[in-house]
Amino acid sequence: MAQRNGHRHETLIDIGKPVSFTGGLEFCSLTYTVTKKKKIEGKWLSQDVDLLHAITGYAPKGCITAVMGPSGAGKSTLLDGLAGRIASGSLKGRVSFDGTEVSPSLIKRTSAYIMQDDKLFPMLTVYETLMFAADFRLGPISTADKKQRVEKLMEQLGLLSSRNTYIGDEGIRGVSGGERRRVSIGVDIIHGPSLLFLDEPTSGLDSTSAHSVVEKIHHIARSGSTVILTIHQPSSRIQLLLDHLAVLARGQLMFQGSPKDVTLHLSRMGRKVPRGENSIEYLIDVIQEYDQSDHGVEALAEFALTGMKPPKLSDEEMSVSTVAPTPPPSRQNRAQVELGASGNGRRLPLQTSTQDSSEFEHSLRSPSWSGSHVGVVQTLRFTPVRQRNDKKLQNPMSSSPGYYTYSSEILPSTPTPHSSDYTVNENDYLTPNIAPNHMAYHLGPKFSNSFFSETWVLMRRNFINIRRTPELFLSRLMVLTIMGLMMATMFMNPKEDSQGITNRLSFFIFTVCLFFFSSNDAVPAFIQERFIFVRETSHNAYRASSYTIAGLLTYLPFLALQSGVYAAIVWKALKLRGPFYYFLLVLYVSLLSTNSFVVFVSSVVPNYILGYAAVIAFTALFFLFCGYFLNSHDIPTYWKWMNTISTMSYPYEGLLMNEYQTSDVFGYTPAGDPINGTTILGSLNISTNESKKWEKVLVMLGWAVLYRIFFYIILRFFSKIQRS
């Protein structure tokens, strides 16, 4: 029994004895299968591959459970499966928390997930970042209580000295890498989650920063949370902070228990840890050796499950480098033979095994845990579970008395399974995890705040970011101001002839294009923010609808300022006609609809390069079909729909109506005949009806609303970190 920092820990001494377990996360037969294409003898065949294969285990409360293994072992996949980040129906098996079966949606509401990449707003300070997290997660409690909670959390995470430092990014100097990681952890634990998942929390950090981060995680676990993290090659200091270990290889469980028991586990399989070598690293080396041998890692998975001693490796197999990226030809040939025999579309495990152990693994059930948490030696006791029906699945191995031919290879310290010991509902491995409806009352509301509270907090954060990054809107304002001055001087005093009218039409279409292009810089701005949105909403910090409305309301005054400055510059200088308020309104609504369109496009594309390409392509199409090159009457019938969806056609026609819906003369033909406004609109096939002007404004507003709805749908249903 281990004792650290005044706490006595439970450790898995022997897999054949019962474990004292008072709470935490349990998982039974987690299996995650994907379909891959593989080229065999010149033909592409479909192959079902198990990224997780019947993983059964637990993570005790108040402890750090580390998931380790070689590259490609399935560590992050297991973490995603436990955290509810695998799509419903793809993951098979059961997950229980504190003895109660839970669904992925319930897991998300009681847990926090810290991703490997720290996605935070660079221009917020450490204190502001945590305060906004408190506003989102702690609900309608007093501001004083939130501040007290944040101050205490900063003290626990060692962030008091950097409370007023910006988070920073590649271009802005801010906190250190270790402090940034601790801020990311603080953002997700501000509400005291019962479950904490961390994906490679030490990635990219130096040894001192990595140890500091894990030490803070250790304190969080001791406060009563169940902590599960993936970690790659931890230092010896970090290993001392790990309480429970799960080692995977190719989606199968190689070892589960206390890190101190790794040496005993290796000795039972006939491998002695060399003097001075780390036992965990040596275990992974052994796994790599078996993985590159003809036996595969299935032999070690069988040993961890049943105690059947794995076959010894030859000297040649043990001397193979454990870092070779490609298995030896014999292993590949065996995989090809099995794949070829399986046929197209038939399921194969990720590993190729000479023993049929899958039926036995599926006959095991999730362990039940009982006993006191402190001062009792832990051991594992398998007990029957309550079945959903009376149908039981017999253990195929126990039905044959002579199955275990080499009984001497079964170690006495591990359990030999019998059909009377294990019962299972076969449907548990065929259907996704579904939690009983009566469990929902334990969790309270899905979101901590009301819709309006969330919107207000998001708007406050948006305004702070805008105030500290003024170049985003100042650049747009400067462009429109300079272009307005250039347009005012270039198109001043038009001649009263057909060329003068053409010049005025060119001014209007250029104005529409200018306003469309001025919103293009919103593409990278939102794409960078989208990752933060996904992280924050993955555990219900706020609603997608609140985020959509807050973003719209935040932009409104800045869009009004941009359109107002441009309108004020060109209106008097060019002596435009019609009501000024309508001219300003058309520019404002045009900017609003364009901004909504660009934001929608940026929510669909994966990166800003494709975002710019998409916006430029649509700009060219909208410009082509707006009615300037060909009026709407002359556009071919099969292309008229493009004129309808072009967001440039409505402001262009609206500006022309405002200028030319009059009988005033604007020029003369070469024959000396007057050209009035009605004649100009008639030649362009644009209505001269006064009421049609307002119809253009309403249509532009409709497009702005529609694009925001599309934007919301993308955020709500398609912007999720979830495996299919």
Side-chain angles (χ1 to χ4, degrees):
M1 192 182 315
Q3 184 168 351
R4 189 182 299 124
N5 296 337
H7 295 273
R8 302 182 71 181
H9 305 282
E10 309 165 321
T11 55
L12 187 60
I13 303 300
D14 194 329
I15 199 173
K17 300 177 184 178
V19 161
S20 165
F21 187 80
T22 59
L25 193 70
E26 304 171 59
F27 43 96
C28 176
S29 293
L30 293 186
T31 300
Y32 176 47
T33 305
V34 297
T35 301
K36 293 186 176 181
K37 294 283 187 178
K38 191 170 185 180
K39 194 172 185 179
I40 304 296
E41 297 179 355
K43 296 182 179 180
W44 286 98
L45 301 177
S46 297
Q47 178 182 7
D48 285 345
V49 178
D50 282 353
L51 299 185
L52 296 177
H53 184 67
I55 303 290
T56 296
Y58 71 102
K61 178 181 289 187
C63 300
I64 294 180
T65 297
V67 182
M68 298 180 62
S71 298
K75 303 184 292 294
S76 295
T77 306
L78 176 61
L79 197 71
D80 288 345
L82 296 176
R85 292 184 170 226
I86 295 180
S88 178
S90 298
L91 182 69
K92 307 298 189 298
R94 296 194 304 269
V95 178
S96 300
F97 184 57
D98 287 347
T100 306
E101 188 174 344
V102 291
S103 67
S105 61
L106 295 182
I107 284 287
K108 289 182 179 180
R109 294 169 64 178
T110 58
S111 67
Y113 190 107
I114 289 85
M115 296 184 291
Q116 187 171 345
D117 297 328
D118 301 318
K119 299 298 183 181
L120 302 168
F121 286 102
M123 294 309 298
L124 294 181
T125 65
V126 170
Y127 176 77
E128 289 170 340
T129 300
L130 295 176
M131 271 303 297
F132 278 118
D135 287 334
F136 290 132
R137 301 296 182 94
L138 299 184
I141 65 175
S142 66
T143 302
D145 290 339
K146 291 178 182 177
K147 290 181 178 179
Q148 183 179 3
R149 182 73 168 265
V150 168
E151 293 288 348
K152 183 177 180 181
L153 183 61
M154 287 194 299
E155 181 181 1
Q156 292 174 341
L157 295 176
L159 295 170
L160 287 176
S161 60
S162 57
R163 59 174 291 143
N164 295 321
T165 305
Y166 289 143
I167 298 298
D169 57 11
E170 296 83 0
I172 303 171
R173 186 173 181 84
V175 296
S176 66
E179 289 172 331
R180 183 195 299 267
R181 189 61 49 85
R182 280 178 270 159
V183 173
S184 294
I185 294 173
V187 165
D188 285 308
I189 67 170
I190 188 71
H191 59 302
S194 304
L195 269 171
L196 181 60
F197 300 97
L198 302 102
D199 187 17
E200 297 282 0
T202 61
S203 177
L205 302 179
D206 60 82
S207 59
T208 301
S209 298
H211 179 264
S212 175
V213 168
V214 177
E215 191 175 37
K216 301 305 179 185
I217 297 172
H218 182 268
H219 295 329
I220 294 169
R222 289 298 177 267
S223 66
S225 296
T226 301
V227 178
I228 305 174
L229 58 85
T230 61
I231 193 166
H232 190 68
Q233 293 183 335
S235 65
S236 56
R237 291 193 302 166
I238 290 178
Q239 289 182 23
L240 294 175
L241 298 173
L242 306 179
D243 306 299
H244 191 66
L245 190 64
V247 181
L248 305 180
R250 294 191 178 270
Q252 298 191 70
L253 188 64
M254 302 288 104
F255 171 81
Q256 180 178 216
S258 168
K260 294 184 178 181
D261 294 330
V262 174
T263 302
L264 177 61
H265 182 79
L266 286 165
S267 65
R268 286 174 175 172
M269 72 168 66
R271 302 295 292 266
K272 184 178 180 180
V273 180
R275 182 184 299 272
E277 188 163 343
N278 185 280
S279 60
I280 297 177
E281 293 179 357
Y282 184 68
L283 172 61
I284 295 179
D285 288 345
V286 171
I287 292 171
Q288 294 277 51
E289 292 173 359
Y290 273 89
D291 185 33
Q292 298 172 38
S293 70
D294 289 337
H295 305 289
V297 297
E298 294 80 12
L300 299 183
E302 185 76 10
F303 171 70
L305 188 66
T306 68
M308 180 176 287
K309 195 172 181 179
K312 292 185 177 181
L313 300 179
S314 64
D315 293 339
E316 181 180 353
E317 290 172 323
M318 293 177 63
S319 64
V320 175
S321 173
T322 60
V323 298
T326 307
S330 59
R331 185 89 191 274
Q332 292 177 341
N333 293 339
R334 180 158 55 90
Q336 292 177 0
V337 169
E338 293 189 12
L339 178 59
S342 69
N344 185 21
R346 185 174 175 183
R347 173 180 176 178
L348 287 177
L350 183 62
Q351 304 80 14
T352 52
S353 174
T354 56
Q355 299 181 14
D356 185 11
S357 62
S358 61
E359 291 183 326
F360 170 72
E361 290 175 310
H362 276 216
S363 69
L364 289 181
R365 47 156 302 280
S366 175
S368 296
W369 313 97
S370 60
S372 85
H373 181 68
V374 180
V376 181
V377 177
Q378 310 180 37
T379 46
L380 174 64
R381 180 177 70 242
F382 288 93
T383 57
V385 295
R386 181 177 299 175
Q387 302 298 310
R388 296 174 184 169
N389 54 49
D390 295 334
K391 186 175 182 179
K392 297 182 179 180
L393 188 65
Q394 285 294 105
N395 187 340
M397 291 186 176
S398 64
S399 62
S400 175
Y403 184 86
Y404 291 114
T405 305
Y406 304 100
S407 58
S408 62
E409 293 298 307
I410 304 178
L411 303 184
S413 60
T414 56
T416 302
H418 300 283
S419 60
S420 59
D421 296 333
Y422 311 112
T423 59
V424 67
N425 183 346
E426 61 183 348
N427 292 328
D428 291 335
Y429 307 104
L430 302 176
T431 57
N433 177 8
I434 300 175
N437 292 331
H438 68 272
M439 293 175 53
Y441 71 90
H442 293 291
L443 301 173
K446 184 176 182 179
F447 298 97
S448 300
N449 300 287
S450 66
F451 169 81
F452 296 103
S453 298
E454 291 174 355
T455 304
W456 172 242
V457 174
L458 287 166
M459 288 179 62
R460 285 197 294 113
R461 187 173 70 177
N462 290 343
F463 280 118
I464 291 176
N465 282 317
I466 292 172
R467 189 176 73 246
R468 292 180 183 168
T469 54
E471 59 273 11
L472 180 61
F473 282 98
L474 285 179
S475 61
R476 299 183 192 178
L477 187 60
M478 289 298 295
V479 167
L480 291 174
T481 301
I482 294 173
M483 292 305 300
L485 293 172
M486 294 179 66
M487 298 287 280
T489 55
M490 186 174 180
F491 292 97
M492 188 180 297
N493 301 320
K495 296 180 180 179
E496 293 186 350
D497 56 13
S498 58
Q499 184 60 47
I501 295 172
T502 301
N503 293 343
R504 185 55 56 95
L505 295 179
S506 300
F507 161 76
F508 287 125
I509 190 60
F510 188 87
T511 297
V512 173
C513 290
L514 175 64
F515 273 58
F516 201 103
F517 277 111
S518 67
S519 297
N520 287 5
D521 55 359
V523 174
F526 172 74
I527 289 177
Q528 292 176 355
E529 190 174 319
R530 179 172 58 189
F531 297 103
I532 301 176
F533 166 83
V534 172
R535 178 181 62 81
E536 292 178 332
T537 56
S538 61
H539 289 268
N540 304 326
Y542 49 81
R543 300 165 178 82
S545 56
S546 303
Y547 181 84
T548 303
I549 298 299
L552 175 62
L553 296 178
T554 303
Y555 278 94
L556 290 180
F558 296 97
L559 299 180
L561 178 61
Q562 294 170 33
S563 55
V565 168
Y566 181 86
I569 293 174
V570 302
W571 179 262
K572 287 291 185 182
L574 299 183
K575 298 178 181 179
L576 300 178
R577 307 195 185 192
F580 173 77
Y581 67 85
Y582 183 86
F583 179 77
L584 175 61
L585 181 62
V586 169
L587 294 182
Y588 180 54
V589 178
S590 172
L591 205 54
L592 178 60
S593 61
T594 300
N595 182 267
S596 299
F597 170 77
V598 172
V599 170
F600 162 65
V601 171
S602 62
S603 69
V604 176
V605 297
N607 54 65
Y608 71 89
I609 297 177
L610 289 178
Y612 274 131
V615 170
I616 291 173
F618 278 103
T619 301
L621 289 174
F622 291 166
F623 185 33
L624 178 61
F625 291 97
C626 70
Y628 176 74
F629 298 100
L630 286 176
N631 62 55
S632 58
H633 180 74
D634 295 331
I635 293 177
T637 305
Y638 46 84
W639 285 121
K640 285 188 179 295
W641 61 275
M642 283 297 300
N643 176 260
T644 303
I645 69 171
S646 173
T647 53
M648 288 188 184
S649 62
Y650 302 101
Y652 175 61
E653 293 181 2
L655 293 177
L656 293 183
M657 288 180 181
N658 192 54
E659 180 74 11
Y660 296 119
Q661 278 186 346
T662 177
S663 59
D664 294 346
V665 176
F666 291 87
Y668 297 88
T669 66
D673 298 327
I675 304 175
N676 58 28
T678 305
T679 304
I680 296 173
L681 293 181
S683 65
L684 297 174
N685 199 36
I686 297 176
S687 175
T688 58
N689 190 339
E690 179 73 19
S691 63
K692 289 294 184 179
K693 290 200 316 183
W694 299 103
E695 182 180 302
K696 303 301 179 183
V697 174
L698 293 177
V699 172
M700 284 189 286
L701 284 173
W703 279 116
V705 172
L706 186 62
Y707 284 133
R708 290 288 172 174
I709 292 175
F710 288 158
F711 175 68
Y712 164 74
I713 292 173
I714 295 296
L715 295 185
R716 175 65 178 83
F717 299 103
F718 300 101
S719 295
K720 297 179 180 180
I721 301 178
Q722 190 175 58
R723 299 172 186 255
S724 58

